[in-house]
């Protein structure tokens, strides 16, 4: 860890949102506290592993859309989470190996795993920083060395903003990133929603109170505000599946639990 990186403790005895997500995906980068909290979530939302897998497929579709169809060659992945199968850079590099990707996360485990995975990659870097401080992230020399903000950039905020409580100003945070982007840039985000199952989401939120990050699902209207004056790509801010048919599921509780969209800066 360099002096410019934030001192974030490992806290193995406290549930961690990234490691809980890893557990839902069947990963091994988690501790007993993470597994215990995740199992509590599974008691009220047994579909969570399937939702997590579908979430990874959504990220893959989004990256392919941005790189292959929109010509994006720079990606800033904020709150990237633990590396897993088909990471953002792997998906992008199947289309163009020159696509530059910067992963940003404040979790030291996430960053150490990411750096080990990317040790030999020149087009990809991992930055330990807190997306809630956009002025620090955007001014970081590692970002400046990899991303040209004078050209179009895709900013990914996938499954991360619902871990930022209202009192920390998520709308202001996202606006700061939007303002830093050149015309023709894109913002892609996915976010847990409250519209369809507010009581269920409240129960999940209560479990996350003991974790390192809260769980703050929001309404469709509040999530739409994150895009500001960006123009939403068709079909707009929709129920998680913007660029392909929804994965087959017969569980009605999964529907309406989150929204996803991609917006373009005019």
């Amino acid at each position: 860890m360099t002096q410019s990186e934030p001192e974030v403790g490992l806290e193995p005895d406290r549930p961690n949102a990234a490691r809980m997500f890893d557990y839902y995906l069947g990963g091994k980068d988690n501790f007993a506290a993470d597994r215990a909290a995740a199992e509590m979530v599974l008691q009220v939302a047994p579909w969570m592993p399937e939702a997590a897998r579908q979430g990874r497929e959504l990220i893959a579709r989004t990256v392919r859309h941005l790189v292959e169809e929109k010509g994006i060659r720079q990606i800033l992945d904020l709150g990237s989470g633990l590396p897993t199968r088909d990471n953002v850079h792997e998906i992008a590099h199947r289309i163009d190996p020159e696509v530059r990707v910067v992963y940003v996360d404040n979790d030291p485990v996430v960053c150490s795993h990411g750096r080990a995975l990317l040790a030999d990659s020149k087009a990809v870097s991992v930055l330990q920083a807190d997306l809630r401080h956009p002025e620090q992230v955007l001014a970081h020399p590692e970002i400046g060395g990899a991303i040209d903000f004078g050209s179009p950039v895709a900013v990914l905020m996938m499954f991360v903003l619902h871990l930022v409580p209202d009192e920390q100003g998520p709308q202001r945070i996202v606006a700061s990133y939007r303002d830093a982007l050149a015309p023709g840039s894109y913002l892609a985000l996915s976010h847990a929603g409250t519209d369809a199952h507010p009581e269920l989401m409240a129960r999940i939120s209560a479990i996350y109170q003991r974790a390192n990050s809260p769980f703050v699902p929001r309404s469709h209207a509040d999530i739409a505000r994150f895009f500001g004056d960006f123009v939403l790509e068709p079909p707009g801010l929709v129920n998680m599946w913007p660029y392909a048919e929804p994965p087959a599921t017969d569980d009605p509780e999964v529907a309406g639990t989150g929204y996803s969209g991609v917006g373009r800066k005019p």
Side-chain angles (χ1 to χ4, degrees):
M1 181 180 295
T2 67
Q3 290 182 345
S4 62
E5 294 171 335
E7 296 290 341
V8 181
L10 185 60
E11 297 185 298
D13 296 327
R14 185 182 187 188
N16 176 285
R19 298 193 303 256
M20 290 171 67
F21 193 79
D22 175 74
Y23 180 73
Y24 300 143
L25 287 170
K28 298 180 180 179
D29 294 313
N30 48 74
F31 298 118
D34 309 312
R35 295 189 287 273
E39 285 294 337
M40 293 179 67
V41 172
L42 294 176
Q43 290 297 312
V44 299
W47 41 262
M48 189 65 81
E50 175 63 16
R53 286 190 292 271
Q54 292 178 4
R56 293 303 307 177
E57 293 173 7
L58 170 64
I59 293 172
R61 290 199 300 274
T62 301
V63 172
R64 285 194 297 268
H65 172 74
L66 290 167
V67 176
E68 192 166 38
E69 299 179 31
K70 299 301 178 180
I72 287 294
R73 293 299 180 265
Q74 305 182 103
I75 299 175
L76 180 60
D77 188 355
L78 299 171
S80 52
L82 283 160
T84 182
R85 182 177 60 85
D86 273 352
N87 297 289
V88 166
H89 72 282
E90 294 170 320
I91 298 160
H93 287 174
R94 290 184 194 126
I95 302 166
D96 184 349
E98 300 300 316
V99 175
R100 297 192 298 278
V101 178
V102 178
Y103 294 104
V104 177
D105 205 290
N106 70 339
D107 189 308
V109 174
V110 167
C111 293
S112 64
H113 279 258
R115 287 172 183 144
L117 178 69
L118 303 171
D120 298 324
S121 177
K122 296 180 180 179
V124 189
S125 56
V126 179
L127 172 63
Q128 186 177 335
D130 195 324
L131 69 85
R132 294 171 296 182
H133 303 294
E135 64 286 347
Q136 296 178 15
V137 172
L138 293 168
H140 196 284
E142 192 163 341
I143 295 285
I147 300 292
D148 173 15
F149 285 100
S151 299
V153 180
V155 173
L156 308 184
M157 304 187 81
M158 307 296 283
F159 304 100
V160 67
L161 286 172
H162 51 233
L163 303 178
V164 181
D166 291 336
E167 57 267 25
Q168 293 181 356
Q171 293 290 344
R172 173 193 58 78
I173 291 168
V174 178
S176 295
Y177 290 109
R178 292 199 314 265
D179 291 345
L181 301 178
S185 295
Y186 290 86
L187 170 65
L189 64 84
S190 51
H191 196 297
T194 58
D195 297 298
H197 305 287
E199 294 183 2
L200 171 65
M201 288 301 185
R203 293 172 69 185
I204 297 174
S205 295
I207 297 169
Y208 271 82
Q209 286 300 315
R210 66 195 70 192
N212 70 318
S213 298
F215 179 73
V216 189
R218 296 182 170 95
S219 69
H220 183 279
D222 285 338
I223 298 168
R225 289 176 55 216
F226 286 122
F227 288 97
D229 63 353
F230 280 34
V231 179
L232 281 166
E233 293 277 290
L237 183 63
V238 295
N239 181 32
M240 282 298 188
W241 320 115
Y243 301 114
E245 291 299 316
T249 176
D250 57 5
D251 191 339
E253 286 194 328
V254 178
T257 55
Y259 301 100
S260 181
V262 176
R264 181 182 185 274
K265 186 167 186 173

